[in-house]
Amino acid sequence: MKKMIALLVGFLLLSGGAWYAYDYYYGGKDYYTEITATGDVSQETDSKGQSFTVYHYTQVAFDKDGKETTQKMNEFRDKPLRIGAFLKLKVNERKGIISWEEVKQNDVPDKALEKINAASTNE
């Protein structure tokens, strides 16, 4: 019985540590933004001499409660993000934006959408 309890406690400690490490490196908070400009464009070259286009964006984003943050993102793509697109950003405190996805306007939480609309009318 003592061995079983010791194994269970060990398993729980390892599982908890693994979850904490995963959340630390890959977890984040969701923020929402709307693309209102094409971003700054630059041409860069990789170590093999191949050229590629990078779009640099500085976006004001809001969480589900309407809290504001400014995020910088670099997109390696052939054309800019679509003007008027709503994005859901996954933001890690240590790494910045770790992922994003385009969402429909009605998928954006009400408080965030209200702030996004207010920010876009002020520009």
Side-chain angles (χ1 to χ4, degrees), residues 44-59:
E44 298 186 14
T45 307
D46 64 11
S47 61
K48 296 180 181 177
Q50 295 179 334
S51 180
F52 57 92
T53 306
V54 181
Y55 290 89
H56 307 277
Y57 295 90
T58 301
Q59 292 290 124

Side-chain angles (χ1 to χ4, degrees), residues 53-57 73-77 79 81 97 100:
T53 306
V54 181
Y55 290 89
H56 307 277
Y57 295 90
M73 58 191 261
N74 301 316
E75 286 301 312
F76 301 85
R77 47 190 306 133
K79 50 188 180 173
L81 295 170
I97 298 172
W100 63 268

Side-chain angles (χ1 to χ4, degrees), residues 28-86:
K29 188 172 180 181
D30 292 335
Y31 286 90
Y32 299 86
T33 189
E34 180 182 13
I35 300 298
T36 57
T38 57
D40 298 324
V41 176
S42 66
Q43 285 295 119
E44 298 186 14
T45 307
D46 64 11
S47 61
K48 296 180 181 177
Q50 295 179 334
S51 180
F52 57 92
T53 306
V54 181
Y55 290 89
H56 307 277
Y57 295 90
T58 301
Q59 292 290 124
V60 175
F62 302 92
D63 68 3
K64 64 181 173 150
D65 299 320
K67 181 182 170 200
E68 180 178 329
T69 183
T70 301
Q71 296 295 323
K72 294 182 183 217
M73 58 191 261
N74 301 316
E75 286 301 312
F76 301 85
R77 47 190 306 133
D78 295 330
K79 50 188 180 173
L81 295 170
R82 184 175 60 82
I83 300 293
F86 287 91

Side-chain angles (χ1 to χ4, degrees), residues 1-15:
M1 185 67 169
K2 288 182 182 183
K3 287 184 181 182
M4 185 65 109
I5 291 174
L7 284 173
L8 182 62
V9 168
F11 175 75
L12 291 174
L13 286 174
L14 285 173
S15 297

